[in-house]
Each structure stands twice: as structure tokens, then as C-alpha cells.
Amino acid sequence: MTASSLRSALSFPPMALLLAAAIAGCSKPPPVEEPLRAVKVMTVGTSTFDTAPEYSAEVRARIESQLGFRVAGKILRRQAELGQHVQAGQVLAQLDPQDYRLAADAARAQQTAAATNRDLASADLKRYRELREQNFISGAELERRESTFKSAQAQFEQAQAQLASQGNQASYTTLVADVAGVVTAIDAQPGQVVSAGTPVVRIAQDGARDVVFAVPEDRAALMRPGSPVTVRGWAGGAELEGKVREVAASADAVTRTYAVKVAIDAATSPALGATVYARPKALSQTGAAVLKLPTSALRQEGSGSAVWVLDKDTMTVRLQPVHVATADGNEAVIAAGITPGMQVVVAGVHVLAPGQKVSLYQGKSSAPATAAVVPAAPAATASASAGSR
């Protein structure tokens, strides 16, 4: 460096140097390119609905009665036990009968007094009739005696009816089974004071059995009396065939669902109260042509669902809203939003952004999988590569 150059550099203002350094420090760094994501995709194709809707149900007796005493009182003993099979006429429970026995004794005494008055009036009437025949008394006197006898007779009949009523009241202190069946509930215990009609024992009558389950409002209209229903036990066993016997006319106040009763053969019915699964054929869509996607392809977007669709020309993805109709096993049935031939991302959906470039990840043993195809629909291949984040 020459002497004139050195003098020129030393004469440059220090503030200008600081300003140049500050400007260089405030400049934006070069943008960082997003990583190229490897995703797993499948080609949308028409497939068939494989599963049928099943509803959890319970086996119940067609007729289930709540039995209670016809009179009020204190329960002395209860012979019925939960789950016990009882026969018609078998004693289920007993009230304290003492008060009713005393009332019956009082009615019996009133009947005896009324019978005595009647007999006395009858004897007087007989004697006055003889006197009338001899013209010793007038006809009006005989009529008064006849009226007295009729009144005594009526009082006797009233006392007789009262005694029969009190006798019935005393017999009502014993609760007996009116039909053969199984005790399904105990609603009162010994020592408890119950009023007339209070449920004490519930009995499921022997005979016909129903399978009862509930369906939502949009399915209730499809359930018709007489339509077939397949029933299978929760613990396995042979499947049973039944028919819809009754569909509730109004929805349950709490669940807003409609109860459906299916009649099955009592001889092959599972145990009373057993849990079973009902598969109504009226609601089955097995074999119908649908569009299905794995649940891993769905993304929650606002109040609905969406999927990432791959543009093969630009190798970018875009967000496509879809309407999910129902589920078929572990797959979602799509009602609208996609068409056969689209390529949808089924793995890595949580790390993508609209317009992002992606690549198809090729695994070590990746092999294209062919989606199920309805014979009448065009074939659709589901090519899938193993996905990674």
C-alpha cells in the first residue's frame, strides 16, 4: 500500500464503518428449503362393504310380571331368591297377618249377631202370620213384622259379605306365584313395611323369549316387523335366526333410541339375561360398492374430515375435504369428496402442508397392493409404499 492510500484509508470516518457493519448484519438469511417428505399413498378404487352392523342386545322374557301384596303390612319372611325358578302357587313372601285375622274374627262375630237377629225376626214373623190367620192382628201389623224380617235378613247378608271380604284380606297376606318362571328381581326385604301394590318380586315367565336392542332414529324406519335378524351369543355358540316382533313407537326419553324386540325360539334361546349380538339383515349393506380409505388417511379439518391428494405431475399434495359415511372394520367409508383413480396419502398426513412437494418412499420389501374391486366396477389398484415421517 502506498503512502497516499494509507492516508486515504485512515481518513475514512469510523461511523461509516459501523453503519456498513450494521447494514450487513440486518440483511435476511437465505430461505431454508422444506425437506422433501416421503409419504405412503394408495389409489382410490371401488370396493365392497364387508361388515354388517351389529347391536348389543339382551335376552328377556316376553312377559315379565311385578308381583306385590294386595294389602299393606310388614313383611315377615321372603322365601323367593334371586334367580330361583318357581312354580305356579309357590309361596314367595308373607306379611304379618295378625291385624287381618282380628278383623276377620270381628266380622265373624257380626255375622253371628246378624244371624241371631234374623232368626228372631223370622220366628216373630211366623207367629204373627198365625195370628193374622185368626184375625187377632191387622194386616198392617203383619207387614211391619215382614219388614223387620227383611231388614234382619239384609243385615245378615251384609255381615256375611264382610266376613268373606275380611277372609280374603287375610289370605292376601301370603304372596304366591301366579305363573311358573324365574325370579329376576327382589324389590323388598323382610321387616319392610309396604303398601298395597308395592312391587316385591319380579318374575320372568317361562315360554317365549325376546332379544331386545336399541337402534338410532335414522335406522328405526328400516326395521319392519317380520324382518329377519341373526343372533349370536357373546361367548360364541351357534347363530340363531329370529324375526322382528315389535318396534317401539316412541324414542327412549334418555337415549333417544328405539327399542326393537326380536322373537327367537325358546328351546334354543341363550340363558335369560344373557348378552348377545343382533345383526338385522334389513340394515346390512354387505356387498354394496363403496369407496374406502384407511383411517390413517383422515385428517380433522375444522368440523369435518379431509385427506391429502397427490398431484403426480407436480408431486405436490392438496387438502381435499371428504364426507365419512360410516366405518367398515378398520376402514372409513367415504360418501363424497373423492373419486376412483385419485391418489391419497395414507401415512405421514400430520407433517404435510398444502402445495408441499413429496416423494414416494420405497421400502426394502415394498410391493404394490391391489384394492378389492367389485366385478361390475372398473379395477382399481392400490399401490402403496411403506411410509415414513
Side-chain angles (χ1 to χ4, degrees):
M1 181 180 291
T2 62
S4 61
S5 299
L6 181 59
R7 284 194 301 271
S8 176
L10 291 177
S11 63
F12 194 81
M15 187 59 69
L17 294 175
L18 294 177
L19 182 59
I23 292 174
C26 292
S27 60
K28 292 183 179 180
V32 179
E33 293 185 2
E34 283 197 37
L36 192 63
R37 301 287 184 181
V39 295
K40 178 182 178 181
V41 299
M42 68 169 289
T43 303
V44 177
T46 305
S47 57
T48 57
F49 207 99
D50 298 328
T51 60
E54 280 189 336
Y55 297 89
S56 178
E58 180 183 0
V59 178
R60 298 181 186 174
R62 181 167 298 180
I63 302 177
E64 193 168 2
S65 306
Q66 288 184 331
L67 304 183
F69 292 100
R70 299 172 66 174
V71 293
K74 179 181 179 179
I75 300 178
L76 283 183
R77 62 185 63 88
R78 175 179 54 78
Q79 291 87 339
E81 298 294 342
L82 190 64
Q84 177 184 0
H85 189 275
V86 297
Q87 300 294 333
Q90 184 174 337
V91 177
L92 304 176
Q94 290 176 294
L95 293 178
D96 184 357
Q98 186 62 29
D99 292 341
Y100 296 99
R101 288 175 181 173
L102 293 176
D105 292 342
R108 191 174 294 108
Q110 290 178 358
Q111 182 191 28
T112 302
T116 302
N117 293 334
R118 182 200 59 178
D119 293 343
L120 181 59
S122 177
D124 284 346
L125 178 61
K126 182 179 180 181
R127 186 168 56 254
Y128 273 79
R129 281 176 178 171
E130 293 175 354
L131 292 175
R132 175 59 183 152
E133 291 175 356
Q134 299 174 8
N135 291 324
F136 288 144
I137 61 172
S138 63
E141 185 65 25
L142 179 62
E143 290 177 357
R144 282 195 295 270
R145 296 301 173 177
E146 287 178 349
S147 298
T148 301
F149 171 74
K150 291 180 180 178
S151 176
Q153 178 66 28
Q155 290 177 359
F156 171 76
E157 292 175 355
Q158 180 183 9
Q160 193 176 33
Q162 187 68 24
L163 176 60
S165 175
Q166 292 298 331
N168 289 339
Q169 297 286 311
S171 66
Y172 293 155
T173 59
T174 300
L175 181 63
V176 297
D178 54 354
V179 293
V182 177
V183 178
T184 58
I186 301 293
D187 299 323
Q189 300 297 334
Q192 182 176 344
V193 177
V194 296
S195 59
T198 300
V200 176
V201 177
R202 186 180 304 168
I203 293 182
Q205 296 185 17
D206 290 343
R209 294 287 185 261
D210 285 341
V211 170
V212 183
F213 60 96
V215 297
E217 183 178 0
D218 60 338
R219 303 295 179 90
L222 301 176
M223 301 299 297
R224 304 282 184 177
S227 60
V229 177
T230 301
V231 178
R232 67 179 182 89
W234 179 79
E239 291 187 345
L240 305 177
E241 295 297 329
K243 292 185 177 181
V244 175
R245 185 177 67 85
E246 178 184 325
V247 181
S250 59
D252 184 87
V254 178
T255 63
R256 308 309 301 168
T257 57
Y258 290 78
V260 179
K261 296 181 179 179
V262 178
I264 58 175
D265 187 6
T268 57
S269 169
L272 193 66
T275 299
V276 294
Y277 294 104
R279 193 163 57 246
K281 293 186 179 179
L283 305 183
S284 176
Q285 300 179 2
T286 304
V290 293
L291 299 179
K292 295 189 294 185
L293 290 176
T295 55
S296 60
L298 299 178
R299 169 191 173 94
Q300 193 66 25
E301 191 68 23
S303 59
S305 300
V307 296
W308 292 108
V309 177
L310 175 66
D311 186 349
K312 292 187 64 176
D313 296 333
T314 61
M315 290 304 292
T316 58
V317 293
R318 62 180 176 87
L319 203 59
Q320 175 65 39
V322 294
H323 174 63
V324 179
T326 184
D328 185 16
N330 293 326
E331 295 180 304
V333 178
I334 309 301
I338 59 174
T339 57
M342 285 185 174
Q343 287 196 324
V344 175
V345 178
V346 295
V349 298
H350 56 288
V351 295
L352 299 179
Q356 182 175 351
K357 283 188 170 293
V358 296
S359 65
L360 299 181
Y361 179 80
Q362 300 294 333
K364 295 182 179 179
S365 59
S366 61
T370 303
V373 179
V374 176
T381 305
S383 61
S385 305
S388 65
R389 294 175 61 120

